[in-house]
Amino acid sequence: MNALFCLVAVAGIGLSIWAIVMQVSDLRARSESRERIGAGCGGLVDPDLVLGLNSDIDRVELADRYQIDPARRVSNCVVQRVGDSGTVYGHFALTLSVYPADPNADERRIALDDEPFDLRRGGVDDIAGAADHAVPHPLGDGGLGEYESHLVTARALCADGGETSSIEASAIAKYADVATAEDRRTLAGLARQAVERAAEERGCRSQLPALPTEFPEPTFALGPAAGAGGACAWYGRLIAAEGRGSLPDRALAAPAGKASAHDACLLALGEDETRRIWPAYEKTTTRPRDLGIVLLHSPLWVKTETLVGDGTRGIRTGLQDRTAIRPGTAGTDGFAWWASSVCDGRPALHLMQVSYPYDRILRDRLEPLFRAYVDDATERRGCTDVVRPDTADFARH
């Protein structure tokens, strides 16, 4: 019996020692991870907040190719979680964008996203039922920035007279799991912290709004257009007043922020409504698109989007010719239309993209559709100097 007690005691001591060894190992790993995050992300974020994402982790590595440098126009860091087997997984990324005070010194080029529905999902029951990405949600009134399901962007507007116009920091969840509401709140704190520290380092004098108390859940599923609110409320009013006809019956909206520098409204036609309008469309063309392809792979959609401030720089359409879209102008490239204005002293672009062949089907309603959107976007923000496309820009269809 005494021998048994001795064995149990020895085993207990061994387990205790092992637990202490593992605890020390975890503490060392966490300390090393904190140092890696601090160095790789330029000291812009609290490493413990980064480690706390996705149920908390201790071991990370930094992707060697990336490192934050506030002196560069664009830089980022990528934090990877290290599993028990040594395999690395996605965890977190931070992107820092610095806009020079002289717009002509910024050489970045950004193509419009013209595919809100992933064509690789062909064959699903309803491809127009859910978008690939949520539309931007404002942080509060939008003055601080915006967020989606897996990322948060915070923005510092610099006072006039310095070398920098504005700074943006995007905190991104890179793990496969859907980001929780708690994680999005952490990402928002990280983005605000990063842009505040970067602004101080760059000599950007800015007053950042506080984080909001509410973070409405971003969604991917489109709902009935007639009941859409927020950034799609203008569309509900339009179809209530003028009827819908061949216009979209579904909408994906987010709250509308009066100070938002980026918001969007996604509209689409569901399968039943597409079947309803298709015979009339086929009579208008000698080479109609195959209905089966549309239903399975290429839904009919319209996307409206507004960008204010430095986000208007370097935008081009996603088509082969890459038409430049510049503040102070208006026009079309055939599948996208844009207007411009000045909102609170900053340049703004108001965009509408329409899928093919939906642009042909809606040819008589494209101009009033876009006008209703631009009127709402500019009136909501109190914008002036509005420049709209000519009627001829819509008549080409």
Side-chain angles (χ1 to χ4, degrees):
M1 182 65 70
N2 289 336
L4 179 60
F5 284 145
C6 288
L7 288 173
V8 172
V10 169
I13 293 171
L15 289 173
S16 297
I17 293 174
W18 176 250
I20 293 172
V21 169
M22 292 303 297
Q23 186 176 19
V24 171
S25 176
D26 289 343
L27 289 173
R28 182 181 296 114
R30 191 175 186 90
S31 177
E32 292 173 350
S33 294
R34 294 182 81 260
E35 292 177 2
R36 292 189 183 111
I37 294 169
C41 297
L44 297 184
V45 291
D46 183 343
D48 284 322
L49 292 178
V50 175
L51 293 171
L53 290 167
N54 198 23
S55 302
D56 201 63
I57 59 174
D58 291 318
R59 292 172 171 82
V60 301
E61 291 183 359
L62 272 290
D64 294 335
R65 294 182 301 157
Y66 307 101
Q67 188 168 14
I68 290 288
D69 181 0
R72 293 166 54 191
R73 298 282 171 81
V74 180
S75 60
N76 52 46
C77 63
V78 178
V79 180
Q80 300 170 320
R81 176 172 63 90
V82 180
D84 294 337
S85 63
T87 304
V88 295
Y89 306 88
H91 183 68
F92 171 79
L94 178 70
T95 297
L96 185 71
S97 299
V98 179
Y99 292 89
D102 179 5
N104 296 321
D106 196 339
E107 298 178 352
R108 279 172 290 187
R109 294 293 180 266
I110 302 171
L112 287 176
D113 173 18
D114 57 1
E115 290 296 347
F117 300 97
D118 190 345
L119 303 187
R120 293 172 297 179
R121 292 193 293 120
V124 299
D125 291 340
D126 187 358
I127 193 172
D132 291 349
H133 303 285
V135 293
H137 283 52
L139 286 168
D141 69 353
L144 178 60
E146 58 274 340
Y147 68 98
E148 297 182 22
S149 58
H150 66 294
L151 69 88
V152 180
T153 297
R155 187 174 297 105
L157 304 180
C158 308
D160 293 339
E163 296 181 354
T164 306
S165 174
S166 68
I167 300 175
E168 290 181 357
S170 294
I172 309 163
K174 301 291 286 186
Y175 39 86
D177 299 335
V178 175
T180 64
E182 181 180 353
D183 280 354
R184 268 191 300 277
R185 192 175 296 276
T186 299
L187 290 170
L190 287 166
R192 188 186 187 282
Q193 182 182 70
V195 81
E196 184 175 45
R197 291 180 179 180
E200 183 177 356
E201 187 168 336
R202 292 280 305 191
C204 163
R205 293 180 293 112
S206 178
Q207 294 292 327
L208 291 181
L211 289 173
T213 56
E214 300 294 331
F215 287 78
E217 183 81 14
T219 60
F220 301 84
L222 280 72
C232 289
W234 65 273
Y235 181 68
R237 293 192 294 268
L238 174 70
I239 59 178
E242 301 182 10
R244 187 170 59 79
S246 298
L247 290 171
D249 64 326
R250 297 178 178 181
L252 178 61
K258 184 176 181 179
S260 290
H262 184 199
D263 63 23
C265 170
L266 177 62
L267 308 168
L269 204 65
E271 180 175 335
D272 291 344
E273 287 298 290
T274 301
R275 291 184 184 277
R276 177 182 66 83
I277 70 167
W278 209 252
Y281 161 64
E282 289 180 319
K283 294 177 182 179
T284 66
T285 178
T286 57
R287 300 181 62 184
R289 195 164 199 177
D290 183 81
L291 176 59
I293 292 176
V294 171
L295 295 177
L296 293 176
H297 302 284
S298 185
L300 306 179
W301 56 266
V302 175
K303 185 179 182 182
T304 58
E305 194 166 7
T306 286
L307 299 164
V308 181
D310 291 328
T312 62
R313 298 186 188 183
I315 295 179
R316 294 179 178 270
T317 63
L319 300 180
Q320 186 174 0
D321 293 338
R322 295 294 176 94
T323 303
I325 300 177
R326 296 187 176 91
T329 70
T332 180
D333 73 343
F335 294 93
W337 290 259
W338 72 92
S340 62
S341 68
V342 177
C343 304
D344 195 23
R346 294 185 293 158
L349 290 173
H350 313 283
L351 315 167
M352 181 175 75
Q353 298 174 82
V354 186
S355 65
Y356 174 82
Y358 208 16
D359 59 315
R360 271 64 174 173
I361 296 171
L362 296 179
R363 65 165 59 88
D364 293 335
R365 303 200 67 177
L366 289 173
E367 184 174 11
L369 179 68
F370 189 46
R371 180 174 290 276
Y373 171 66
V374 173
D375 287 349
D376 175 80
T378 54
E379 290 172 7
R380 172 159 46 93
R381 292 176 170 84
C383 306
T384 60
D385 302 320
V386 182
V387 182
R388 294 180 174 85
D390 297 330
T391 296
D393 289 326
F394 298 93
R396 294 172 187 168
H397 288 70

